[in-house]
């Protein structure tokens, strides 16, 4: 199950905040990314590797969102970021 996976940052990014959102540059790959406020918060949480379930717990505590919807959307975002080489998703040790 994806919620059991541990998410961590895989790539160092140069980051800047703009009105609650984040713009990030992956210098090694020459790619630029725009993160909305929620993705920016998730990225901040991943400053320390943590299980997807813990990311969901944080967000449910901070935002008015249904847990199942939050889990599905966080998992989809992290899978997308993994596909771009920005995060790693690994089984807990």
């Amino acid at each position: 199950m994806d919620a059991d996976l541990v998410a961590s940052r895989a790539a160092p990014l140069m980051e800047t905040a703009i009105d609650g959102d984040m713009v990030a540059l992956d210098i090694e790959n020459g790619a630029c990314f725009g993160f909305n406020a929620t993705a920016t918060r998730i990225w901040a949480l991943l400053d320390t590797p943590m299980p997807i379930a813990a990311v969901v717990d944080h967000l449910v505590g901070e935002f008015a969102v249904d847990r199942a919807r939050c889990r599905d959307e966080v998992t989809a975002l992290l899978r997308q970021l993994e596909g771009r080489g920005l995060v790693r998703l690994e089984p807990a040790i």
Side-chain angles (χ1 to χ4, degrees):
M1 174 182 230
D2 284 339
D4 296 330
L5 295 174
V6 173
S8 62
R9 293 181 184 184
L13 302 177
M14 291 186 60
E15 311 162 11
T16 189
I18 301 174
D19 295 329
D21 295 342
M22 183 179 83
V23 175
L25 177 63
D26 181 349
I27 296 174
E28 290 182 22
N29 296 314
C32 185
F33 303 95
F35 289 37
N36 66 18
T38 305
T40 299
R41 180 64 182 127
I42 292 167
W43 186 256
L45 289 169
L46 296 183
D47 189 39
T48 302
M50 70 173 48
I52 293 175
V55 173
V56 171
D57 289 343
H58 278 279
L59 296 176
V60 167
E62 294 176 26
F63 299 99
V65 62
D66 173 75
R67 181 174 295 280
R69 179 177 179 193
C70 184
R71 182 191 61 239
D72 293 346
E73 292 185 9
V74 166
T75 300
L77 173 66
L78 291 174
R79 288 288 182 193
Q80 196 174 56
L81 295 176
E82 178 186 40
R84 295 185 178 178
L86 299 179
V87 300
R88 279 189 290 279
L89 298 174
E90 302 171 317
I93 298 174

